[in-house]
Amino acid sequence: DAGVTQSPTHLIKTRGQHVTLRCSPISGHKSVSWYQQVLGQGPQFIFQYYEKEERGRGNFPDRFSARQFPNYSSELNVNALLLGDSALYLCASSLGGAMDTQYFGPGTRLTVL
Amino acid sequence: QQQVKQSPQSLIVQKGGISIINCAYENTAFDYFPWYQQFPGKGPALLIAIRPDVSEKKEGRFTISFNKSAKQFSLHIMDSQPGDSATYFCAANFNKFYFGSGTKLNVKP
């Protein structure tokens, strides 16, 4: 079975640009969560989507947005990039229950210059 | 405000030794406490998890000890191996997951 896949693997952008990151969950999983992991720190929760509806939002500015598609894949969008947005962006999928195991993808490494 | 505090930041253990990583939390609403293992270039992978109605859970060489009154939980890795060298994160869940800052474990051969 394929795990969680994310694209692209790496991305370099400049300040002020916009970026779209993509995630495909494990087959049968209906929930996708996004996390930001800054080097040397633990993942920080950005969004959770379940059945295409936003279920939770972390403490991130409105420049961050996401959506989930009918096939349960998801996109994370970040506008007006700042240097501080440089991080590993992780996507995790789960069946959807509050305590269901989250399975993480390998992440997208975003560098903002 | 960090919801889950993890220590130590880094840990060096000899092969065959016991690795111990500690986490503390404040929010008594947390109801699920997983530990994740992350290798360089990979996403975190669930190692073992516990619910607050249990004081200990063991899976192979990995054990979680949970102290509800102290609001602390810890991961014990018995017979540590060089292949266990990775970064370990504790987490706590209430509507969403809060992660600790991570412990980089280095097991010396």
Side-chain angles (χ1 to χ4, degrees), chain A residues 35 37 42-43 45 99 101 104-105, chain B residues 31 38 43-44 46 89 96-97 100:
Chain A
Y35 292 83
Q37 186 177 21
F45 174 76
M99 287 181 278
T101 299
F104 283 85
Chain B
D31 55 10
Q38 185 175 27
L46 179 69
F89 294 96
K96 59 185 179 183
F97 283 89

Side-chain angles (χ1 to χ4, degrees), chain B residues 3-28:
Chain B
Q3 296 274 354
V4 181
K5 295 183 180 179
Q6 184 172 345
S7 63
Q9 190 174 4
S10 62
L11 184 60
I12 299 174
V13 172
Q14 289 296 125
K15 179 182 175 182
I18 302 173
S19 303
I20 301 174
I21 304 170
N22 301 299
C23 283
Y25 65 96
E26 286 299 323
N27 189 347
T28 56

Side-chain angles (χ1 to χ4, degrees), chain B:
Chain B
Q1 182 187 4
Q2 197 172 6
Q3 296 274 354
V4 181
K5 295 183 180 179
Q6 184 172 345
S7 63
Q9 190 174 4
S10 62
L11 184 60
I12 299 174
V13 172
Q14 289 296 125
K15 179 182 175 182
I18 302 173
S19 303
I20 301 174
I21 304 170
N22 301 299
C23 283
Y25 65 96
E26 286 299 323
N27 189 347
T28 56
F30 287 141
D31 55 10
Y32 179 62
F33 300 87
W35 283 89
Y36 284 84
Q37 180 188 56
Q38 185 175 27
F39 292 103
K42 305 284 187 182
L46 179 69
L47 199 59
I48 186 172
I50 198 168
R51 308 224 169 139
D53 54 343
V54 176
S55 61
E56 186 176 280
K57 183 175 181 181
K58 184 176 181 179
E59 289 183 2
R61 297 185 294 111
F62 301 92
T63 300
I64 299 179
S65 296
F66 188 85
N67 186 329
K68 190 173 182 177
S69 60
K71 292 184 283 186
Q72 294 176 349
F73 58 110
S74 60
L75 175 69
H76 292 62
I77 306 174
M78 313 300 288
D79 187 27
S80 299
Q81 299 295 313
D84 297 331
S85 298
T87 300
Y88 292 81
F89 294 96
C90 62
N93 178 272
F94 177 65
N95 293 330
K96 59 185 179 183
F97 283 89
Y98 297 86
F99 283 79
S101 54
T103 296
K104 190 171 184 179
L105 172 65
N106 185 5
V107 181
K108 296 282 192 184

Side-chain angles (χ1 to χ4, degrees), chain A residues 6 8 23 33 47 49 52 54-56 58 67 71 97 104 109:
Chain A
Q6 292 186 243
C23 171
S33 297
F47 287 109
Y49 277 77
K52 294 162 286 180
E54 183 183 300
R55 182 185 261 182
R67 55 180 176 167
N71 67 353
F104 283 85
R109 172 71 63 186

Side-chain angles (χ1 to χ4, degrees), chain A residues 11-15 17-20 81 83 110-113:
Chain A
L11 204 51
I12 299 175
K13 292 284 189 179
T14 56
R15 281 178 296 175
Q17 284 189 313
H18 162 271
V19 69
T20 297
L81 285 167
L83 295 179
L110 172 64
T111 301
V112 182
L113 303 176

